[in-house]
């Protein structure tokens, strides 16, 4: 089961969704502090990362790719010209054109996870970085369908590490996110925020998501070098359209 773009937008408009947005943004800022050259960085948000971009590197050159299986929409005028629909096996970007890539609600809905990670590797510059938010298969958030993290395919830390190593990434590090279970009242989650950091060390395996960061390894693994690719350089430039459906 996958999730629809309208369901994602509706979730992030709820109190629980706003809590998730704040917690994930805070964790991402801790992992990726805003660098001095942020205005020159090309950052791709893959999946549904639009709720996070305003507070995370607001001055970077953001573009958003939304997988065809979840759909695409324009939420506000700030995003005009920044959003395009993408096929996971052939992202509409040139090789080595992206400094950083952030994936939220993208990996778990992928039809072919390995092909998607190969594409992440292809579009990143050498030593480019990827930061992914992926549901934890042993966590509470993946066990029900009341949130988007219960849709699609969750992953263990070992599974993510293996596939990232096989597709050309190294310096892989993990951080546990969403330590509070989703069935708690949102007010209580806010009250317990002070001990969430402690929970990360006491019981990390029940966290809701993994935040996983990795660096593009050059050269590529032999398996990836032998992959047959479409002539991406001949594709038209991404159609970051201003005529997408609005919520």
């Amino acid at each position: 089961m996958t999730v629809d773009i309208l369901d994602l937008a509706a979730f992030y408009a709820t109190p629980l969704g706003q809590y998730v947005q704040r917690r994930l943004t805070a964790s991402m800022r801790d992992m990726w502090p805003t660098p001095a050259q942020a205005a020159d960085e090309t950052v791709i948000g893959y999946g549904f990362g639009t709720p996070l971009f305003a507070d995370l590197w607001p001055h970077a050159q953001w573009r958003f790719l939304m997988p065809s299986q979840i759909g695409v929409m324009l939420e506000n005028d700030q995003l005009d010209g920044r959003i395009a629909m993408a096929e996971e096996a052939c992202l509409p970007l040139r090789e080595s054109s992206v400094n950083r890539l952030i994936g939220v609600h993208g990996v778990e809905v992928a039809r072919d996870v390995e092909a998607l990670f190969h594409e992440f590797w292809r579009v990143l510059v050498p030593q480019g970085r990827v930061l992914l938010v992926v549901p934890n298969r042993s966590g509470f958030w993946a066990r029900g369908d009341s949130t988007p993290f219960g849709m699609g395919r969750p992953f263990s830390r070992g599974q993510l590490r293996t596939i990232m190593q096989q597709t050309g990434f190294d310096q892989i590090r993990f951080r546990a996110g969403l330590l509070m279970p989703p069935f708690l009242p949102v007010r209580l989650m806010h009250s317990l925020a002070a001990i969430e950091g402690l929970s990360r060390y006491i019981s990390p395996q029940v966290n809701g998501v993994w935040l996983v960061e990795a660096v593009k390894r050059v050269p590529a693994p032999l398996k990836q070098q032998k992959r047959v690719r479409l002539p991406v350089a001949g594709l038209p430039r991404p159609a970051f359209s201003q005529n997408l459906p609005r919520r």
Side-chain angles (χ1 to χ4, degrees), residues 181-213:
F183 49 77
L184 292 180
V186 175
R187 288 185 179 181
L188 182 57
M189 289 185 184
H190 285 294
S191 300
L192 296 175
I195 67 170
E196 189 172 24
L198 182 61
S199 301
R200 183 175 294 114
Y201 300 102
I202 296 176
S203 55
Q205 295 303 321
V206 298
N207 57 287
V209 299
W210 293 115
L211 288 87
V212 53
E213 179 196 22

Side-chain angles (χ1 to χ4, degrees), residues 23-24 27 136 141 175-180 196 200 204 206-211:
R23 299 309 302 167
L24 291 182
S27 295
N136 174 19
W141 291 73
R175 177 173 179 151
L178 301 183
L179 277 298
M180 299 294 109
E196 189 172 24
R200 183 175 294 114
V206 298
N207 57 287
V209 299
W210 293 115
L211 288 87

Side-chain angles (χ1 to χ4, degrees), residues 23 38 64 73 97 114 126 151 186 204 209 216 222 232 236:
R23 299 309 302 167
F64 298 95
M73 66 181 295
S97 61
E114 184 176 352
M151 307 292 185
V186 175
V209 299
K216 175 178 176 175
L222 291 177
V232 176

Side-chain angles (χ1 to χ4, degrees), residues 127 129 161 165 169-174 212-217:
Q127 301 301 306
R129 293 180 176 270
R161 183 181 297 278
Q165 290 174 337
F169 292 93
D170 59 14
Q171 300 181 39
I172 302 168
R173 66 174 181 139
F174 290 84
V212 53
E213 179 196 22
V215 177
K216 175 178 176 175
R217 183 171 77 243

Side-chain angles (χ1 to χ4, degrees), residues 29 32-35 38 41 43 53-60 62 100:
R29 277 201 304 262
W32 279 7
T34 303
E41 293 273 348
V43 185
F53 88 99
D55 296 324
L56 183 70
W57 292 25
H59 302 297
W62 280 95
R100 304 205 181 209

Side-chain angles (χ1 to χ4, degrees), residues 50-118:
T50 51
L52 308 176
F53 88 99
D55 296 324
L56 183 70
W57 292 25
H59 302 297
Q61 300 299 314
W62 280 95
R63 295 295 184 269
F64 298 95
L65 297 177
M66 297 185 176
S68 59
Q69 56 264 45
I70 70 172
V72 60
M73 66 181 295
L74 181 64
E75 294 183 274
N76 59 63
D77 292 337
Q78 286 182 299
L79 302 180
D80 277 357
R82 298 191 188 188
I83 300 177
M85 183 179 288
E87 292 295 334
E88 64 194 32
C90 188
L91 299 182
L93 297 166
R94 298 188 185 278
E95 292 186 11
S96 302
S97 61
V98 175
N99 300 99
R100 304 205 181 209
L101 187 148
I102 293 177
V104 184
H105 299 300
V107 174
E108 66 266 32
V109 302
R111 302 184 186 98
D112 186 336
V113 177
E114 184 176 352
L116 177 62
F117 276 73
H118 280 303

